[in-house]
Amino acid sequence: MPENKAVVYRGMGHVEVENVGYPAFEIKDGPGVNPDNVGRQLPHGVILKVIATNICGSDQHMVRGRTTAPEGLTLGHEITGEVIETGPDVEFIKTGDLVSVPFNIACGRCRNCKEGKTGVCMNVNPERAGSAYGYVDMGGWVGGQAEYVMVPYADWNLLKFPDRDQAMEKIRDLAMLADIFPTGFHGCVTAGVGPGSTVYVAGAGPVGLAAATSAFLLGAAVVMVADLQKDRLDQARSFGCETIDVTQGDPRAQIEQILGEPEVDAAVDAVGFEARGHGDDAQTERPATVLNTIMDVTRAGGALGIPGLYVTGDPGASDDAAKEGSLSIRLGLGWAKSLSFTTGQCPVMRYNRQLMMAILHDRVQIAKNVNATVIPLDQAPQGYTEFDQGAARKYVLDPHGMIK
């Protein structure tokens, strides 16, 4: 049985590539594993040889010590791979299939799954609704920044690529289907983006850039991306976005310069709970800034998509309320403007097949737009460091050297 090297969280600001053991069709005890999940049998699962596995901003929150993630947690929830072993209950997925793995783990049997709410499956996490690979408080399913990983409920969860050779040619793009492309798309869909829309995207990290890409795919007329990092704004500008530098102050004035009016049809929060302020406060953490800004700059009757991560436990927060996820948001403003809000994890399976088709038929270049950068698995610690410093890149780990 081969070794299985993986990226392991070893404390604030520290990850290591270690041998974590080869995956099995059973949940074993370990860091972050819910006790009620220990011993759970998984005959409906498969073992994947990981082709691509990405570093996500959500991983970075954990590595910064901004969650309750335990030391020793195997990280990684953005997985693309080749099926090399199937459990006895797997019927339709076959050995040799190339597949995308939604970061949500879903059973396909509960009420929420049957309603398409796969981000809040009721059966895979004994603690609360929703589960993910290598993620804090998500049931303890082993992460996929690794050489090999086990995926449960394979017939339900896995998106099979129709042609292996074509998939490998476009693997950098297809690797974005596990999380950031559907997540950005979900942010835009729930914000009501459509043909002719004017759109404000807060954050030019990978999810923000994926949201901007999605807005264009949905027919937006103008897409404005806001950030405080020059390199990230340059990356947004490279594929047609207007950019807003929040270090220069309140975005309303810059929006008005671009549109001739200070409000947009739709807004997306792709930042989340580690948001900074604007203008003189641009280097100070102000966790409610983005939420309040998108309410302010969205027209009355508009909608807000909020795929940016917010947590119920943040030991590094600036005040006691924020440590429990309580923020000073201007709900009265949102109410007065009759704004619609959509929060929570993206239900990846709602979108990933359609977005796969857009990639395979050259309707979108998501890897180019997010500046996908492939590195070997053993360079993951360096990738985490550079990403934490604001690199305008989406790091893709290549555990087996299979990506051109």
Side-chain angles (χ1 to χ4, degrees):
M1 193 170 290
E3 289 187 344
N4 184 29
K5 293 181 179 178
V7 179
V8 178
Y9 173 59
R10 284 298 171 198
M12 188 182 301
H14 186 196
V15 299
E16 294 283 353
V17 178
E18 304 175 6
N19 188 0
V20 298
Y22 193 77
F25 295 116
E26 177 185 350
I27 298 182
K28 299 179 180 179
D29 198 9
V33 178
N34 189 296
D36 291 337
N37 258 348
V38 175
R40 188 169 183 163
Q41 299 299 304
L42 310 166
H44 42 67
V46 300
I47 307 297
L48 296 186
K49 179 180 181 179
V50 177
I51 295 173
T53 177
N54 312 331
I55 297 176
C56 180
S58 299
D59 300 319
Q60 199 71 67
H61 291 305
M62 289 186 284
V63 173
R64 288 184 187 130
R66 297 300 299 269
T67 71
T68 55
E71 191 171 325
L73 184 71
T74 299
L75 299 170
H77 56 270
E78 300 189 18
I79 309 163
T80 308
E82 177 186 1
V83 177
I84 59 172
E85 186 179 351
T86 61
D89 289 354
V90 177
E91 185 176 1
F92 303 110
I93 293 292
K94 305 298 182 184
T95 301
D97 287 347
L98 263 57
V99 295
S100 177
V101 184
F103 78 89
N104 325 108
I105 299 172
C107 71
R109 296 151 167 80
C110 70
R111 174 180 175 176
N112 281 350
C113 282
K114 290 179 179 181
E115 293 178 355
K117 302 171 184 174
T118 54
V120 280
C121 173
M122 303 297 294
N123 287 333
V124 287
N125 184 356
E127 187 170 355
R128 57 187 172 92
S131 195
Y133 304 90
Y135 204 86
V136 61
D137 298 330
M138 285 296 188
W141 300 83
V142 176
Q145 286 174 14
E147 293 175 304
Y148 302 93
V149 69
M150 192 283 305
V151 175
Y153 303 103
D155 284 326
W156 167 250
N157 282 300
L158 294 178
L159 174 65
K160 177 184 172 181
F161 302 140
D163 181 86
R164 183 187 181 91
D165 291 339
Q166 183 188 28
M168 289 306 298
E169 285 293 323
K170 296 180 178 291
I171 197 67
R172 294 169 187 249
D173 295 280
L174 295 170
M176 304 304 145
L177 292 173
D179 182 352
I180 67 163
F181 196 9
T183 293
F185 195 83
H186 179 63
C188 288
V189 168
T190 55
V193 177
S197 296
T198 56
V199 184
Y200 176 83
V201 178
V207 170
L209 297 174
T213 301
S214 300
F216 284 126
L217 191 59
L218 288 163
V222 182
V223 179
M224 290 164 283
V225 179
D227 207 286
L228 48 79
Q229 296 269 6
K230 178 183 182 301
D231 290 347
R232 289 185 169 188
L233 292 173
D234 289 343
Q235 183 63 29
R237 203 175 294 114
S238 74
F239 61 94
C241 299
E242 301 286 347
T243 55
I244 292 174
D245 182 353
V246 296
T247 67
Q248 301 302 307
D250 191 308
R252 280 183 72 92
Q254 297 178 66
I255 291 172
E256 187 166 19
Q257 287 180 345
I258 295 166
L259 294 180
E261 57 184 2
E263 292 185 325
V264 297
D265 297 322
V268 178
D269 172 4
V271 179
F273 73 105
E274 287 193 65
R276 306 288 190 211
H278 296 153
D280 293 339
D281 282 344
Q283 298 305 321
T284 304
E285 190 165 304
R286 297 281 187 265
T289 294
V290 171
L291 290 172
N292 288 329
T293 295
I294 61 175
M295 283 190 282
D296 184 43
V297 304
T298 302
R299 65 175 177 82
L304 312 176
I306 309 174
L309 175 67
Y310 289 89
V311 295
T312 56
D314 175 9
S318 56
D319 59 67
D320 289 341
K323 287 180 180 179
E324 297 180 349
S326 297
L327 307 180
S328 297
I329 63 171
R330 297 181 64 193
L331 186 59
L333 175 63
W335 189 93
K337 296 177 76 173
S338 293
L339 299 175
S340 299
F341 297 70
T342 301
T343 65
Q345 289 188 1
C346 165
V348 170
M349 293 173 68
R350 192 177 298 173
Y351 309 108
N352 60 355
R353 182 173 298 277
Q354 300 95 306
L355 295 176
M356 175 188 73
M357 295 301 287
I359 289 169
L360 294 178
H361 292 278
D362 299 317
R363 297 301 179 188
V364 67
Q365 293 182 301
I366 183 64
K368 175 178 177 290
N369 291 0
V370 301
N371 196 17
T373 302
V374 179
I375 60 175
L377 185 68
D378 61 11
Q379 290 183 19
Q382 179 183 342
Y384 269 93
T385 298
E386 293 176 1
F387 190 37
D388 190 47
Q389 293 170 347
R393 300 176 182 275
K394 174 66 173 177
Y395 285 99
V396 178
L397 304 178
D398 180 8
H400 296 279
M402 297 176 69
I403 303 174
K404 290 183 181 179

